[in-house]
Amino acid sequence: MHTQTLEFRSDNCGRVAPEIIEAISRANHGSAIGYGADDLTLQLNMRVSEIFETQVRVFPIPTGTGANALALASVGTPFGAVFCSPEAHINTSECNAVGFFGSGLKVTPIDGIHGKVCPDSLEKNLHSAGFGQAHKSQPVAVNLVQATYLGAVYSVAEIQRISALAREKNLTVHMDGARFANALAYLGCTPAEMTWKSGVDILSLGVTKNGGLLSDAIVVFNPAVADKINFHLRRGGMIWSKMRFASAQILAYVENDLWLRLAKQSNLAAQQLAAGINNIPGARLIAPVQANELFAEMRAQSLDQLAQHGVLFYRRGPELARFVCRWETTEEEVQSLLSLIAQHA
Amino acid sequence: MHTQTLEFRSDNCGRVAPEIIEAISRANHGSAIGYGADDLTLQLNMRVSEIFETQVRVFPIPTGTGANALALASVGTPFGAVFCSPEAHINTSECNAVGFFGSGLKVTPIDGIHGKVCPDSLEKNLHSAGFGQAHKSQPVAVNLVQATYLGAVYSVAEIQRISALAREKNLTVHMDGARFANALAYLGCTPAEMTWKSGVDILSLGVTKNGGLLSDAIVVFNPAVADKINFHLRRGGMIWSKMRFASAQILAYVENDLWLRLAKQSNLAAQQLAAGINNIPGARLIAPVQANELFAEMRAQSLDQLAQHGVLFYRRGPELARFVCRWETTEEEVQSLLSLIAQHA
Amino acid sequence: MHTQTLEFRSDNCGRVAPEIIEAISRANHGSAIGYGADDLTLQLNMRVSEIFETQVRVFPIPTGTGANALALASVGTPFGAVFCSPEAHINTSECNAVGFFGSGLKVTPIDGIHGKVCPDSLEKNLHSAGFGQAHKSQPVAVNLVQATYLGAVYSVAEIQRISALAREKNLTVHMDGARFANALAYLGCTPAEMTWKSGVDILSLGVTKNGGLLSDAIVVFNPAVADKINFHLRRGGMIWSKMRFASAQILAYVENDLWLRLAKQSNLAAQQLAAGINNIPGARLIAPVQANELFAEMRAQSLDQLAQHGVLFYRRGPELARFVCRWETTEEEVQSLLSLIAQHA
Amino acid sequence: MHTQTLEFRSDNCGRVAPEIIEAISRANHGSAIGYGADDLTLQLNMRVSEIFETQVRVFPIPTGTGANALALASVGTPFGAVFCSPEAHINTSECNAVGFFGSGLKVTPIDGIHGKVCPDSLEKNLHSAGFGQAHKSQPVAVNLVQATYLGAVYSVAEIQRISALAREKNLTVHMDGARFANALAYLGCTPAEMTWKSGVDILSLGVTKNGGLLSDAIVVFNPAVADKINFHLRRGGMIWSKMRFASAQILAYVENDLWLRLAKQSNLAAQQLAAGINNIPGARLIAPVQANELFAEMRAQSLDQLAQHGVLFYRRGPELARFVCRWETTEEEVQSLLSLIAQHA
């Protein structure tokens, strides 16, 4: 029997990139005004604006759930509806946060595969939505998870097509970028191309899952929205008084391509794992592996045995395993997992 | 004219205690399950239970506003009312967080001095509250800020008297302990005596203002409340996935009496400042100085001159200044401020 | 061309039963205390308790949307989920009322046919719901529309099976009885058998669509729920000060079997219409006709021609018509509609 | 001992004006489209527009609490604050409706006498409100109760002064007109002068207390607000499907000056009662009597004896009685009450 533990549960089980902790230490001198009026937060706004090639507003925020719910609440109305994939995190895993922050704002899953919103389905739902009819929740936003929960990545063309449909009906396009850097690394495009140049209005920029500590961020491309967000954040208990220490983290995350470097590592580990699984007859990947997550079908007994041999992972069905690679997942760990799968599948 | 800057704006303008950053680094190894099921969070619960001499539940939470609003929402009902001092932070400075988290939960200020709830006023308001009448907001909680916004500290006897009144009518007693350690250091009693032994049901434990980084905590003494809090936290976007790094901070904060050591430093600086101001004819303190805040009246012109000479502080009226001492405020800074006041008052 | 108008749009397009207006006039003497403490409201509670063969609480309420949302909010929690049919009124036609009254309470459609919740689907969803996991909306209620939006009626056995599944997991069973009397008339059972004896905890008792004026009612079988409802109603602006005039209407509605007499009339008209349509080759009913609604498929051109000939009805798709019979729909109107369908289908 | 009962509790204890019930009967023919798209609702909008000398939108709504909360929610933001008198109905008697409908919208009482908002107090509060500061609830509306809860009436000049202050800071002016007709009858001005010509943006038009049945109304002078109200109403369960029967009532209420005739009757009764009380040494009115309510101070023992002799009224303190006259209060009833007061005061 095993003695070693192999961690493939989630990217939030992992460590913090040392650069991010160092940034906190570096910021820890002198005094600074609170609640985001400090110099580091100003720097953060300027730096992210450079990186996104347009003037943006950046709001560090403790969690991705908070970022998603608050972003949607601030662009929506309490009688609105947000279209998303059935597998979207806002639909499956954030308790009732969108409805809570949005005062009843409804999450409406629509068809799609691999965790994506399907443009045709969006078009059909927009057509039958009943705009202007008071008994119908009024569509106000579409939520794209990039990369999706199932590990797939929207192409720039897909984002553009969805945004164009949304724009016709005045819907806001929200990107849940919990794994934004992983998607960016996969596509090889610029941050601007994957967001506002393709019609994205507001972004939940994930940091935590990719080497962050305790802060993600909202990035606003539409200035009209930004003004009210500060009030929503405050009412939601989401503005740190010692904001400079959060801003320092996000700055370190985007500086020197750290976010891309970390994401490339977890993407690479996932690619190696996927390639290996594809060669094992008893295992089958159910979605393209384009970021750092894999969903593999095997016999239930095989999964039981992986667990008994120390592999930490989540089961999404009796015969369905999710494996997540982290920025610090090693090739050795991948090989160990592949050996165990080959042995038991 | 001056060149030096003297920081007396707020305790959230200050630095993080090095022990707290070190604790993050120490926690940064291996992997751990997310969302609070990890070992460090378990340790935190056990350690704080020891310190409070009873089984408690501890929930690290990003901000004090979140802690207050969520604590009150979780014990209240959407048709309830929370009594507090007019100067309570929930009434003056947290946007509409209590009403938001509590789905309309009403904040009802009642009379008192130095930022305290006055027991007689509480009794009178409870008497005329209209319990059971559907058109009246139903009293569900009383909020005590310890230390108060004006820098005063409730005695244990005062807390007990208020709790006894609350208990008679089934109200929950919530303590906003944004400056809990400062009050504890002042009273010299045990954490248990200042809380559950005196009838407090739930505590917002402030860390940020006293050397913390980006986390405060909710401490629950009433187990019936604790079970639902996790859901409220999640719905509110308040549960970090990498919780171990928040728990590590709070652990470091209460370990080895760090919280008391830091609080004693800022209290002492405030005492020195108060003693000095009391000797200056043109300046007058408007509340007892029992924690680390001072409110001093001077001529408007004097305050203008302090500002011109580099003193950073907030004006709470044309002739009213607030000075806040931090854990790292030095005696030299206090003396410099006193010289400037003496010179210009 | 046709000049006559044939009204088949909705049962809310119709008249008020004269008995209900007379009851208002009869109640209009002397004075009475407001907000539901009056004698007529007391009588209403006693009379409905007799009819349902158990002690109930009755709350007249302006609308069915209000009744549904408030009933669910009062039994649910803000982190809860309500299972319902995709065609349930709370899901399709009440804007975001459940989420609003329930502070984020989520509406979760699950599979079923003819507008019903399918017990197998309920069982499957309960199995995978993630009870106790904070990131999952916690199932708290199941909503049954009786009769369904598609004109079908749950049998007593179906209600019992669903209730039994719900009970195992501590879910509340809510019946949306917008067309309660129609279902009752169809089944021929007692009100008690169709509700609490089969596990229903709380009922939205529809009056408006079946000859009522401006009031429906909530009927509570579970006394633990009733106490808080009054506060939810008041906070929701749903308690009339001159309540006696609403109670008088509901009393008249259930007195002398008026509700059943009216429902039998609209059910009969629907039966006649269904029988006729079944004999017309170009038309097809898509659901059993058990109450007063029919959904018929025909060529789009046929539907256009019906509209041009003065038939008022709603299209639920290019080739799908909904016809609704009212308590005052005459056999002559039914025959006229059938002639037109036969002519154009 | 006295055996007769004298009803002076509230204007909602009274009867419905026969004209209003007749209007329901008159409307009860044929069919009509639901939810407010019918002819009677259109007529109502046109007729009220004529009466107010400008294009308005009228939304019948079940209760005054609903009208107030929804009006304020639709103009406010969830981080807003509404200034009002401490005696305003939204502050004292509507549970947490404003906070609920407004998703946390805060009710902030400010000083004033006789139930009015004092312009100087408003100015002072606006000055210190902290516009643009995220930790402060942002003032969005001022609420004027016309006539006030204490029976006083704002002059047109007072309304104008308050509106001018509000306008400077982009606040909406909301009039709670639960006793609008009483105030109008007292002032003798036009409806337009008392509302939009003096800066009022949105009005809760009370009907119930002045001979109505089960409907009040929201009247919107600012078209930008009106579009969204329908959605708020629907989400709030406040739109009757058989709207024509509500609109018929409001139409009858404003037609042929019925509202003024009824209000003049209750005002006159109150004047007679006030004149009588002014001549009784042991009784003292605490506010000007300008509408149909009186607040009289007497010895507690006197009030006990009135109650024992069959006078129905509410005590607002041990020595404070509220007497309310209704449209059907007779001179004989007034004289009977005065005799009893004279005898026992």
Side-chain angles (χ1 to χ4, degrees):
Chain A
M1 281 290 277
H2 79 100
T3 48
Q4 189 196 357
T5 277
L6 288 171
E7 174 67 77
F8 285 91
R9 282 179 296 191
S10 177
D11 24 21
N12 59 40
C13 296
R15 282 190 285 126
V16 178
E19 291 87 340
I20 287 177
I21 300 181
E22 284 156 22
I24 295 172
S25 293
R26 263 202 318 278
N28 196 25
H29 64 89
S31 73
I33 195 166
Y35 301 106
D38 62 279
D39 288 346
L40 275 170
T41 305
L42 180 62
Q43 266 185 53
L44 172 67
N45 275 269
M46 294 193 305
R47 191 70 191 96
V48 176
S49 294
E50 281 173 23
I51 289 170
F52 278 85
E53 303 169 53
T54 188
Q55 181 74 42
V56 303
R57 289 286 299 278
V58 188
F59 300 91
I61 187 168
T63 70
T65 294
N68 288 338
L70 211 132
L72 289 166
S74 65
V75 299
T77 64
F79 41 87
V82 178
F83 291 123
C84 65
S85 155
E87 287 85 16
H89 209 253
I90 58 167
N91 188 45
T92 63
S93 305
E94 303 189 354
C95 201
N96 292 347
V98 169
F100 168 52
F101 279 88
S103 309
L105 183 61
K106 191 174 183 176
V107 171
T108 301
I110 63 176
D111 288 345
I113 57 164
H114 301 149
K116 293 184 186 177
V117 165
C118 164
D120 291 342
S121 173
L122 178 60
E123 194 163 19
K124 205 186 73 180
N125 275 276
L126 285 170
H127 185 72
S128 64
F131 282 96
Q133 297 174 30
H135 59 292
K136 295 287 184 191
S137 311
Q138 299 293 296
V140 290
V142 59
N143 161 275
L144 308 179
V145 188
Q146 179 77 322
T148 75
Y149 177 70
L150 289 172
V153 171
Y154 287 93
S155 69
V156 168
E158 284 175 314
I159 299 170
Q160 287 172 345
R161 170 129 189 254
I162 289 169
S163 295
L165 291 168
R167 197 66 69 232
E168 272 177 37
K169 298 288 190 183
N170 293 314
L171 271 66
T172 294
V173 180
H174 168 246
M175 180 172 280
D176 174 355
R179 295 185 177 91
F180 185 84
N182 297 85
L184 199 58
Y186 174 76
L187 290 181
C189 66
T190 66
E193 285 163 355
M194 205 166 83
T195 56
W196 66 273
K197 286 190 176 174
S198 298
V200 174
D201 298 291
I202 189 163
L203 166 69
S204 299
L205 175 61
V207 178
T208 307
K209 290 186 199 301
N210 188 35
L213 175 56
L214 297 170
S215 181
D216 292 304
I218 296 176
V219 179
V220 187
F221 304 107
N222 180 342
V225 170
D227 285 341
K228 286 192 173 172
I229 280 198
N230 231 29
F231 291 99
H232 280 282
L233 282 164
R234 180 71 186 188
R235 186 181 69 126
M238 292 285 186
I239 303 188
W240 282 297
S241 57
K242 281 175 162 169
M243 185 65 82
R244 58 171 160 160
F245 297 103
S247 295
Q249 294 174 48
I250 320 281
L251 261 174
Y253 179 66
V254 296
E255 210 54 88
N256 302 319
D257 285 338
L258 176 62
W259 57 337
L260 288 173
R261 204 165 71 236
L262 297 172
K264 280 174 185 165
Q265 290 168 217
S266 53
N267 280 5
L268 178 63
Q271 289 299 335
Q272 293 169 334
L273 188 54
I277 290 176
N278 278 331
N279 287 328
I280 299 173
R284 194 179 73 83
L285 296 169
I286 67 162
V289 176
Q290 298 171 333
N292 64 325
E293 287 189 300
L294 300 95
F295 285 75
E297 279 184 348
M298 286 173 241
R299 289 178 306 123
Q301 203 187 343
S302 305
L303 297 180
D304 293 344
Q305 286 175 324
L306 290 184
Q308 283 161 27
H309 285 75
V311 183
L312 300 173
F313 66 101
Y314 288 121
R315 288 169 92 146
R316 295 310 189 204
E319 306 199 326
L320 183 59
R322 184 184 77 156
F323 302 111
V324 187
C325 299
R326 289 160 292 121
W327 65 272
E328 78 262 37
T329 300
T330 61
E331 194 169 342
E332 190 194 348
E333 289 171 310
V334 169
Q335 293 310 329
S336 299
L337 175 57
L338 283 171
S339 299
L340 285 167
I341 295 176
Q343 195 177 334
H344 299 290
Chain B
M1 280 292 278
H2 80 99
T3 49
Q4 189 196 357
T5 277
L6 287 171
E7 174 67 77
F8 285 92
R9 284 179 294 191
S10 178
D11 23 22
N12 59 39
C13 296
R15 283 189 286 126
V16 178
E19 291 88 342
I20 287 177
I21 300 181
E22 284 156 22
I24 296 173
S25 294
R26 262 203 319 278
N28 197 25
H29 65 89
S31 73
I33 194 167
Y35 301 106
D38 61 279
D39 288 346
L40 274 170
T41 305
L42 180 63
Q43 267 186 52
L44 173 67
N45 274 269
M46 293 194 305
R47 190 69 191 98
V48 176
S49 294
E50 280 173 23
I51 289 169
F52 278 84
E53 303 169 53
T54 188
Q55 180 74 42
V56 302
R57 289 287 298 278
V58 188
F59 299 92
I61 187 168
T63 70
T65 294
N68 288 338
L70 211 132
L72 289 166
S74 65
V75 299
T77 64
F79 40 87
V82 179
F83 291 123
C84 65
S85 154
E87 286 86 17
H89 209 252
I90 59 167
N91 188 45
T92 64
S93 305
E94 304 189 353
C95 201
N96 291 348
V98 169
F100 168 52
F101 280 88
S103 308
L105 183 61
K106 191 173 183 176
V107 171
T108 302
I110 62 176
D111 289 344
I113 58 165
H114 301 148
K116 293 185 186 176
V117 165
C118 164
D120 290 343
S121 172
L122 177 60
E123 194 163 19
K124 206 185 73 180
N125 275 276
L126 285 170
H127 186 71
S128 63
F131 282 96
Q133 296 175 30
H135 58 292
K136 295 288 184 190
S137 310
Q138 300 292 297
V140 290
V142 58
N143 161 274
L144 308 179
V145 188
Q146 178 77 323
T148 76
Y149 177 70
L150 289 172
V153 171
Y154 286 94
S155 70
V156 167
E158 284 176 313
I159 298 170
Q160 288 172 343
R161 170 129 189 253
I162 289 169
S163 294
L165 290 168
R167 197 65 70 232
E168 272 176 37
K169 299 289 189 182
N170 292 315
L171 270 68
T172 293
V173 180
H174 169 246
M175 180 172 279
D176 174 355
R179 295 185 178 91
F180 185 83
N182 296 85
L184 199 59
Y186 173 76
L187 290 182
C189 65
T190 65
E193 284 163 356
M194 206 166 82
T195 56
W196 65 274
K197 285 189 176 172
S198 299
V200 174
D201 297 292
I202 190 164
L203 166 69
S204 299
L205 175 61
V207 178
T208 307
K209 290 186 199 301
N210 188 34
L213 176 56
L214 296 171
S215 180
D216 293 304
I218 296 177
V219 179
V220 187
F221 304 106
N222 180 342
V225 170
D227 285 343
K228 287 192 174 173
I229 280 198
N230 230 31
F231 291 99
H232 280 282
L233 282 164
R234 181 72 187 189
R235 188 180 68 126
M238 292 286 186
I239 303 189
W240 282 298
S241 58
K242 281 176 161 169
M243 185 65 83
R244 58 171 160 163
F245 297 103
S247 296
Q249 295 173 49
I250 319 282
L251 260 175
Y253 179 65
V254 296
E255 210 54 86
N256 302 318
D257 285 339
L258 175 63
W259 58 337
L260 288 173
R261 204 165 72 235
L262 297 171
K264 280 175 185 165
Q265 290 168 216
S266 54
N267 281 5
L268 177 63
Q271 288 298 335
Q272 293 169 335
L273 188 53
I277 289 175
N278 277 331
N279 287 328
I280 299 172
R284 193 180 73 84
L285 296 169
I286 67 162
V289 177
Q290 298 171 332
N292 63 325
E293 287 189 300
L294 300 94
F295 285 76
E297 279 184 349
M298 287 173 241
R299 290 176 307 124
Q301 203 187 344
S302 304
L303 296 181
D304 295 344
Q305 286 175 323
L306 290 183
Q308 285 161 26
H309 285 76
V311 183
L312 299 173
F313 65 102
Y314 288 122
R315 288 170 92 146
R316 295 310 189 204
E319 307 199 325
L320 182 60
R322 184 185 78 154
F323 301 112
V324 186
C325 297
R326 291 160 292 122
W327 64 272
E328 77 262 37
T329 300
T330 61
E331 193 169 344
E332 191 192 348
E333 289 171 309
V334 169
Q335 293 309 331
S336 300
L337 175 57
L338 283 172
S339 299
L340 285 168
I341 296 176
Q343 195 176 335
H344 299 290
Chain C
M1 279 290 278
H2 197 81
T3 52
Q4 190 197 353
T5 277
L6 287 171
E7 174 65 77
F8 285 90
R9 283 178 296 192
S10 176
D11 24 20
N12 61 39
C13 296
R15 282 189 286 125
V16 179
E19 291 88 340
I20 286 176
I21 300 183
E22 284 155 22
I24 295 174
S25 294
R26 263 204 318 278
N28 197 25
H29 65 87
S31 72
I33 194 167
Y35 300 106
D38 62 278
D39 289 346
L40 275 169
T41 305
L42 181 62
Q43 267 185 53
L44 173 66
N45 274 270
M46 293 193 305
R47 191 70 190 97
V48 176
S49 294
E50 280 172 25
I51 290 168
F52 279 84
E53 304 170 53
T54 189
Q55 182 72 42
V56 303
R57 289 287 299 278
V58 188
F59 300 91
I61 186 167
T63 70
T65 295
N68 288 338
L70 210 132
L72 290 166
S74 64
V75 300
T77 64
F79 41 87
V82 178
F83 291 123
C84 65
S85 154
E87 287 86 15
H89 209 252
I90 58 167
N91 188 45
T92 64
S93 305
E94 304 190 351
C95 202
N96 291 349
V98 168
F100 169 51
F101 279 89
S103 309
L105 182 61
K106 189 173 185 178
V107 172
T108 302
I110 62 176
D111 289 344
I113 58 164
H114 302 149
K116 294 184 185 176
V117 165
C118 163
D120 291 343
S121 171
L122 178 60
E123 195 163 16
K124 205 186 74 182
N125 275 277
L126 285 170
H127 185 71
S128 63
F131 283 95
Q133 295 175 29
H135 59 292
K136 295 288 184 188
S137 311
Q138 298 294 296
V140 290
V142 58
N143 162 273
L144 308 179
V145 188
Q146 178 77 322
T148 75
Y149 177 70
L150 288 173
V153 171
Y154 286 93
S155 68
V156 167
E158 284 175 314
I159 299 169
Q160 288 172 345
R161 171 131 188 252
I162 289 168
S163 295
L165 291 168
R167 198 66 69 230
E168 272 176 35
K169 297 289 191 184
N170 292 316
L171 270 68
T172 293
V173 180
H174 169 246
M175 180 172 279
D176 173 355
R179 294 184 178 92
F180 185 84
N182 296 85
L184 199 59
Y186 174 77
L187 290 182
C189 66
T190 65
E193 285 163 356
M194 206 166 85
T195 55
W196 65 273
K197 286 190 175 172
S198 298
V200 174
D201 297 292
I202 190 164
L203 167 68
S204 299
L205 175 61
V207 178
T208 306
K209 289 186 198 302
N210 187 34
L213 177 55
L214 297 171
S215 180
D216 293 304
I218 296 176
V219 179
V220 186
F221 304 107
N222 180 342
V225 171
D227 285 342
K228 286 192 174 171
I229 280 199
N230 231 31
F231 291 99
H232 279 283
L233 283 164
R234 180 72 188 189
R235 187 180 69 126
M238 291 286 187
I239 302 188
W240 282 298
S241 57
K242 281 175 161 170
M243 186 63 84
R244 59 171 161 161
F245 297 103
S247 296
Q249 295 174 47
I250 319 282
L251 259 175
Y253 179 67
V254 296
E255 210 53 86
N256 302 317
D257 285 340
L258 176 61
W259 58 337
L260 288 173
R261 205 164 70 236
L262 297 171
K264 281 175 184 167
Q265 290 168 218
S266 54
N267 280 5
L268 178 62
Q271 288 298 335
Q272 293 169 336
L273 188 53
I277 289 175
N278 277 331
N279 288 326
I280 300 173
R284 193 179 74 83
L285 296 170
I286 66 161
V289 177
Q290 298 170 333
N292 64 324
E293 286 189 301
L294 301 93
F295 285 76
E297 280 183 351
M298 286 175 243
R299 290 177 305 125
Q301 201 186 345
S302 304
L303 296 180
D304 294 344
Q305 286 175 323
L306 290 183
Q308 284 162 27
H309 285 76
V311 183
L312 301 173
F313 66 102
Y314 289 121
R315 287 170 92 146
R316 295 308 188 206
E319 306 199 328
L320 182 59
R322 184 185 77 156
F323 302 112
V324 186
C325 298
R326 289 159 293 120
W327 65 273
E328 77 263 36
T329 300
T330 62
E331 194 170 341
E332 193 194 346
E333 290 172 309
V334 169
Q335 293 310 328
S336 299
L337 175 56
L338 284 171
S339 299
L340 285 168
I341 295 176
Q343 200 177 330
H344 299 290
Chain D
M1 279 288 277
H2 198 77
T3 51
Q4 192 198 352
T5 278
L6 287 172
E7 174 66 78
F8 285 91
R9 283 178 294 191
S10 176
D11 24 21
N12 61 38
C13 296
R15 281 189 285 126
V16 178
E19 291 87 341
I20 286 176
I21 300 182
E22 283 156 22
I24 295 173
S25 293
R26 264 203 318 278
N28 197 26
H29 65 88
S31 72
I33 194 168
Y35 301 105
D38 62 279
D39 289 346
L40 275 169
T41 305
L42 180 62
Q43 267 185 54
L44 173 67
N45 274 269
M46 294 192 305
R47 191 70 191 96
V48 176
S49 293
E50 281 173 24
I51 289 169
F52 278 85
E53 304 170 53
T54 189
Q55 182 73 41
V56 303
R57 288 287 298 278
V58 188
F59 300 91
I61 187 167
T63 69
T65 295
N68 288 338
L70 210 132
L72 290 166
S74 65
V75 299
T77 64
F79 41 86
V82 178
F83 291 123
C84 65
S85 154
E87 286 86 17
H89 209 253
I90 58 167
N91 189 45
T92 64
S93 305
E94 304 190 352
C95 202
N96 291 348
V98 168
F100 168 51
F101 280 88
S103 308
L105 183 60
K106 190 173 184 178
V107 171
T108 302
I110 62 176
D111 289 344
I113 58 164
H114 301 149
K116 293 184 186 175
V117 164
C118 163
D120 290 344
S121 172
L122 178 60
E123 195 163 17
K124 205 185 74 181
N125 275 276
L126 286 170
H127 185 71
S128 63
F131 283 95
Q133 297 174 28
H135 59 292
K136 294 288 185 190
S137 311
Q138 298 294 296
V140 289
V142 58
N143 162 274
L144 308 179
V145 188
Q146 178 77 324
T148 75
Y149 177 70
L150 289 172
V153 171
Y154 286 94
S155 70
V156 167
E158 284 175 314
I159 299 169
Q160 287 172 344
R161 169 128 190 256
I162 289 168
S163 294
L165 291 168
R167 198 66 68 231
E168 271 176 37
K169 297 289 190 183
N170 292 316
L171 270 67
T172 293
V173 180
H174 168 246
M175 181 172 281
D176 174 356
R179 295 185 178 91
F180 185 84
N182 296 85
L184 199 59
Y186 174 76
L187 290 181
C189 66
T190 66
E193 285 162 355
M194 206 166 84
T195 55
W196 65 274
K197 286 189 176 173
S198 299
V200 173
D201 297 291
I202 190 164
L203 167 68
S204 299
L205 176 61
V207 178
T208 306
K209 291 185 197 302
N210 187 34
L213 177 54
L214 296 171
S215 180
D216 293 305
I218 296 176
V219 180
V220 186
F221 303 107
N222 180 342
V225 171
D227 285 342
K228 287 192 174 171
I229 281 200
N230 231 30
F231 291 99
H232 280 283
L233 283 164
R234 180 72 187 189
R235 188 181 68 125
M238 291 287 187
I239 302 188
W240 282 298
S241 57
K242 282 175 160 168
M243 186 64 84
R244 58 171 161 163
F245 297 103
S247 296
Q249 295 173 48
I250 319 281
L251 260 174
Y253 179 67
V254 296
E255 210 53 87
N256 302 317
D257 285 340
L258 176 62
W259 58 337
L260 288 173
R261 205 163 72 237
L262 297 171
K264 281 175 183 166
Q265 290 168 217
S266 55
N267 280 5
L268 178 62
Q271 289 297 337
Q272 292 170 336
L273 189 53
I277 289 175
N278 277 330
N279 287 327
I280 299 172
R284 193 180 74 84
L285 296 169
I286 66 161
V289 176
Q290 297 171 333
N292 63 326
E293 285 189 301
L294 301 93
F295 285 76
E297 280 184 349
M298 287 174 242
R299 290 177 305 125
Q301 201 187 346
S302 304
L303 296 180
D304 293 346
Q305 285 174 326
L306 290 183
Q308 284 161 27
H309 284 77
V311 183
L312 300 173
F313 66 101
Y314 289 121
R315 288 171 92 147
R316 294 310 187 204
E319 306 200 328
L320 182 60
R322 184 185 78 155
F323 302 112
V324 186
C325 298
R326 289 159 292 122
W327 64 273
E328 78 262 39
T329 301
T330 62
E331 195 170 341
E332 192 193 346
E333 289 172 309
V334 169
Q335 293 309 329
S336 299
L337 175 56
L338 283 171
S339 299
L340 284 168
I341 295 176
Q343 199 176 331
H344 298 291

